[in-house]
Amino acid sequence: MRLRTPLAQARGLGAAREGIHHWWTQRLTALALIPLSLWLVASIITITGADYATAVEWVQSPVVAVLLLLFIAVAFYHAQLGMQVVLEDYVHGGWAKVATIILSKFLMIALAFVAGFAVLRVALGG
Amino acid sequence: MEITNRPLSPHLQIYKPQLTSVLSILHRLTGVALVVGTIPFVYWLGALAAGPESFANAQALFGSVVGQIILIPWVFALFYHLCNGVRHLFWDVGLGFELKSIYTSGTIVLVAALGLTLLAYIAAYTMRGGAG
């Protein structure tokens, strides 16, 4: 049985005006975060209590630098999607809802750029 | 637009907590906690980029009792959200919806998250001991 009208199917948008994009990207980023976050925890454990030189050497390894950047990009994208759902559910009132969602997205992007810049600075700093 | 005294469906406090509902709430709670937890992570990376002195301060902070109080729940939140996220991905492809498997997978997720947290703590503790 099909409940969707042909028009809705043609547009593929639905009530959220973006179809399944949010749902699908949340799953894709979740899938990518399984190996990325397991790697992150395991890798950080190897430099527990490390001094500055050891930690710099760790970030300057190309594999570590790229994986850190990947983790930062995917994790903050996933975080921003998740926060949106939580705010949509718990913040009531049109403007408050929209404002907190926008603020949370800006904050997530800003944190991602700060983290990414820190990694690049250490990795390329020489 | 304020409408008072309208009938409302029973909310959380009416229901008896069950493994299923508690784990569901915990998924959301750990998700938000991990968002807050990005701040110490970004601080740590920033401290490394800022130089030896600030990194030494960051390492001392994370190695302290206060640091451990932040880090251990942080790691548990990550592992819980990860394991339960995998459980959600199975549901997304239509697997494991029978009541019995929902309880089994829920128990597995809880045990796995606690076990991985303990494992990470032991590994980190050993590394730290090894480094002096």
Side-chain angles (χ1 to χ4, degrees):
Chain A
M1 185 177 69
R2 282 184 173 278
L3 294 172
R4 303 189 70 184
T5 66
L7 182 65
Q9 211 175 13
R11 287 185 178 154
L13 297 175
R17 305 272 176 268
E18 55 156 34
I20 59 162
H21 180 257
H22 183 286
W23 188 91
W24 180 242
T25 46
Q26 193 169 38
R27 268 69 191 170
L28 273 190
T29 48
L31 200 63
L33 280 169
I34 298 170
L36 284 173
S37 49
L38 284 175
W39 166 81
L40 182 75
V41 173
S43 195
I44 286 181
I45 286 173
T46 65
I47 57 155
T48 308
D51 58 9
Y52 177 72
T54 315
V56 167
E57 201 187 330
W58 177 70
V59 176
Q60 283 184 342
S61 148
V63 175
V64 172
V66 170
L67 285 174
L68 273 176
L69 290 172
L70 270 176
F71 173 82
I72 289 162
V74 181
F76 279 105
Y77 195 93
H78 186 81
Q80 164 276 124
L81 291 172
M83 282 306 290
Q84 183 189 336
V85 176
V86 171
L87 294 169
E88 278 169 356
D89 283 353
Y90 302 134
V91 179
H92 303 299
W95 282 109
K97 193 189 286 272
V98 172
T100 47
I101 290 171
I102 291 173
L103 196 70
S104 120
K105 288 194 188 246
F106 282 3
L107 199 67
M108 292 298 106
I109 294 167
L111 279 170
F113 271 73
V114 171
F117 176 71
V119 170
L120 286 175
R121 191 171 175 184
V122 177
L124 306 174
Chain B
M1 264 279 300
E2 197 81 359
I3 303 164
T4 48
N5 288 330
R6 65 199 165 101
L8 293 168
S9 57
H11 211 286
L12 282 177
Q13 64 271 23
I14 299 298
Y15 296 108
K16 182 179 161 218
Q18 294 165 304
L19 183 74
T20 44
S21 64
V22 171
L23 292 189
S24 172
I25 294 160
L26 199 58
H27 192 71
R28 217 163 233 219
L29 213 64
T30 51
V32 175
L34 286 168
V35 168
V36 179
T38 60
I39 294 166
F41 175 64
V42 173
Y43 159 69
W44 184 70
L45 285 174
L48 182 65
E53 206 173 301
S54 57
F55 186 67
N57 288 338
Q59 288 295 76
L61 176 69
F62 286 117
S64 69
V65 178
V66 178
Q68 299 300 299
I69 291 170
I70 297 169
L71 272 180
I72 296 168
W74 195 101
V75 172
F76 173 74
L78 182 81
F79 280 136
Y80 177 77
H81 200 80
L82 180 79
C83 294
N84 202 50
V86 172
R87 187 166 168 244
H88 268 283
L89 288 174
F90 274 103
W91 289 336
D92 289 335
V93 292
L95 292 172
F97 271 123
E98 298 75 23
L99 194 60
K100 210 181 152 203
S101 29
I102 283 179
Y103 273 88
T104 312
S105 61
T107 311
I108 292 171
V109 161
L110 211 53
V111 171
L114 286 169
L116 285 166
T117 307
L118 189 67
L119 198 70
Y121 186 73
I122 293 168
Y125 196 79
T126 314
M127 279 304 299
R128 205 175 164 209

